[in-house]
Amino acid sequence: PPMTAAENLEKARLAWKAGNAKDTYKYANKSRFKEPTPEATELATLAACKMKLDDAAKSSFKQLSGDRKKRTRGACRDFGVRVGL
């Protein structure tokens, strides 16, 4: 059976901890499409930044708010990607 949003999110978390941006991006987006959450959006944005997918990063970054948005902006800047305000 297809994985749930929560299962995809857990795979995204584990991939990010392992330094695997490609899998983080894949699973975070699968999770977001089933059930959008701030955490999945943050992980997808971080992974996009790490892989230098500027447009994808900017697109998902716009859906973040508050501390999550600030934290993600800083992390993306460290990866050399400017996602905006």
Side-chain angles (χ1 to χ4, degrees):
M3 287 196 296
T4 65
E7 288 168 334
N8 278 299
L9 182 54
E10 183 57 25
K11 278 196 172 282
R13 275 189 206 114
L14 293 170
W16 186 249
K17 283 189 185 126
N20 185 335
K22 188 175 171 210
D23 278 357
T24 302
Y25 186 74
K26 177 173 80 175
Y27 290 115
N29 277 314
K30 282 185 176 189
S31 179
R32 285 173 67 211
F33 292 137
K34 284 177 184 274
E35 188 184 312
T37 63
E39 185 183 2
T41 301
E42 179 180 10
L43 284 168
T45 307
L46 289 170
C49 286
K50 189 171 181 183
M51 294 189 295
K52 307 282 192 261
L53 301 174
D54 293 45
D55 290 343
K58 285 174 186 163
S59 173
S60 55
F61 177 77
K62 287 177 187 157
Q63 298 164 28
L64 295 171
S65 61
D67 287 345
R68 216 176 265 279
K69 193 167 195 171
K70 282 187 207 141
R71 185 170 64 229
T72 303
R73 182 185 301 118
C76 284
R77 193 178 299 127
D78 291 345
F79 289 128
V81 176
R82 298 223 172 251
V83 285
L85 298 172

